Structure formats: C-alpha cells, structure tokens
Amino acid sequence: MAMKRILSLNVHRLSKLHHIHTHAPSTILTSSSSFYQFQHHQHRFSTTTATEEDKPTTFAARYAAASQSSGKVKLIVGDYTTADKTFTANDVQTYADITGDDNPVHNVNDDEAAQAAGFNASICHGMFSGALFSAAVGGAFPGAVLVEKTLKWKKPLYINESLHAHVEVTKVLPRRKLVLCDMKATNGSDELVVEGKVTILVRDLQE
C-alpha cells in the first residue's frame, strides 16, 4: 500500500514537471512576441516623414508658394537661387561708361595693359561680376534688400566669359527678417571666380 502511494506521488510530480516544460517556452515566446509588437507599434508612431515644405528648394519656388492670406514667405537652410550671364565686351564698356571706371585693364579694344599687369587679356570689372549675386536674389525675391555683402575674387573673369552665380541660405533669423547666405560664382570651366557672404532683409519673412 505504501509502495502504491510513493509511485502515485512520483507520477504526479513527473506530470507537473512535464506541464512546466511543455508550456514555459510558449509563455516566453508569447511575451517576446508582445514586446516586439509594442516596439513596432512605438516605432511606427515615432517615425516622422519630412514634408516637401521642409526640403530645400529655390527662392522663386518659396516666393510662389507664399501664403495667400498673409503673403509671408518661408525660407530654410539650403534654399538657393542662381543667375547666369555672359559678360560681353559691350557689357563691360557700358559698365565702364556708367561708373567711370576706365582702368586700362578693362579696355575692351586693347589687352596690352591687362597683359602688363599679369593677365592673359583684358578683364571684367570685379564689382560688375559681383553684381550677378544681386541679380540672383532680386530676380527671385522682389523687394528683398541686401544689407551686407562681402566678396573675395579667386580668379579673373575675362571679357566674353560666362559666370554662374549660386546663393544659398545658411541661417534664417525670422524675428529680425534677415537671411544669411553663402555665395559663389564659377566660370564656364567650373572654376571658382568669386565667393562671399550676404545678409538679406526680407520683410515678408515668415516667423
């Protein structure tokens, strides 16, 4: 009788161990699955997608998209504007006539003075080439005012050469209505001719 009780007790214990062994992994798997679902759910709600408004674009596109109700313009870092021009002999002569800057290195009919100064030929006026940045900004933002501009010339721009100007936003100060930009202009060989920085006043800047 005592032996039957011992055997019965051992069978009962073995049954419990078997129950724990067969069900524990399922419980752990279920918990892991729930944790994964929680993480996936949390990730889905924490991920944000950048809108088109948050991506850099041209000044002209920003101006065209100005709020119809307020007329305010939004600008972000990376927004840009460009301008292109070929500086012909007639352009250079006209600039010299208007400004009175008749330095012989700008002589459109004779390269001698320019070559004596170390250039290959007559060159465009530096301030004339730098004015292309103003055209890039003013053409895209009617009413924008240049507050400060610094320029540094890296190479001469020869008469009849083309220039590509690029102005890009580096900082926006909405409350002060100011936009800070880097500027660079390259010739037809993609060589840097002039670079600098500019501060622009945009009265319609969105805060």
Side-chain angles (χ1 to χ4, degrees):
M1 192 71 176
M3 183 61 72
K4 287 185 178 181
R5 288 179 181 176
I6 292 171
L7 288 174
S8 177
L9 182 60
N10 286 338
V11 169
H12 178 68
R13 287 175 178 175
L14 287 172
S15 177
K16 288 184 67 177
L17 286 173
H18 177 72
H19 176 79
I20 292 172
H21 177 72
T22 54
H23 287 80
S26 176
T27 305
I28 294 170
L29 180 61
T30 303
S31 299
S32 298
S33 177
S34 299
F35 180 69
Y36 169 77
Q37 290 177 0
F38 170 75
Q39 283 189 316
H40 179 71
H41 180 77
Q42 187 181 46
H43 176 72
R44 184 163 58 89
F45 281 94
S46 63
T47 301
T48 55
T49 303
T51 64
E52 289 300 321
E53 194 177 51
D54 296 324
K55 297 178 181 178
T57 186
T58 64
F59 282 19
R62 292 292 185 193
Y63 192 82
S67 171
Q68 297 299 316
S69 58
S70 65
K72 298 297 183 181
V73 178
K74 177 179 180 178
L75 279 175
I76 65 171
V77 173
D79 283 350
Y80 64 95
T81 183
T82 62
D84 295 271
K85 178 174 175 55
T86 298
F87 291 77
T88 67
N90 187 57
D91 291 333
V92 173
Q93 186 59 59
T94 300
Y95 183 87
D97 293 340
I98 292 173
T99 63
D101 184 352
D102 56 0
N103 188 321
V105 298
H106 306 305
N107 192 322
V108 299
N109 299 310
D110 190 349
D111 296 329
E112 186 177 348
Q115 290 173 340
F119 300 107
N120 296 332
S122 293
I123 61 174
C124 299
H125 302 75
M127 295 306 294
F128 189 18
S129 61
L132 191 58
F133 294 120
S134 300
V137 174
F141 263 116
V145 178
L146 269 63
V147 176
E148 183 179 8
K149 181 167 72 172
T150 60
L151 297 172
K152 182 184 293 185
W153 284 267
K154 298 294 191 177
K155 290 180 67 69
L157 181 70
Y158 292 102
I159 295 172
N160 293 319
E161 280 196 317
S162 296
L163 202 61
H164 172 73
H166 182 98
V167 182
E168 185 169 316
V169 176
T170 57
K171 191 172 185 179
V172 181
L173 304 172
R175 292 187 178 181
R176 297 173 62 186
K177 307 297 183 185
L178 296 177
V179 180
L180 282 59
C181 304
D182 281 345
M183 307 181 297
K184 67 176 183 178
T186 53
N187 60 21
S189 299
D190 202 31
E191 299 170 316
L192 182 62
V193 173
V194 56
E195 64 181 357
K197 296 182 181 296
V198 65
T199 301
I200 308 167
L201 173 65
V202 182
R203 299 189 186 280
D204 295 331
L205 191 62
Q206 177 181 312
E207 291 189 16

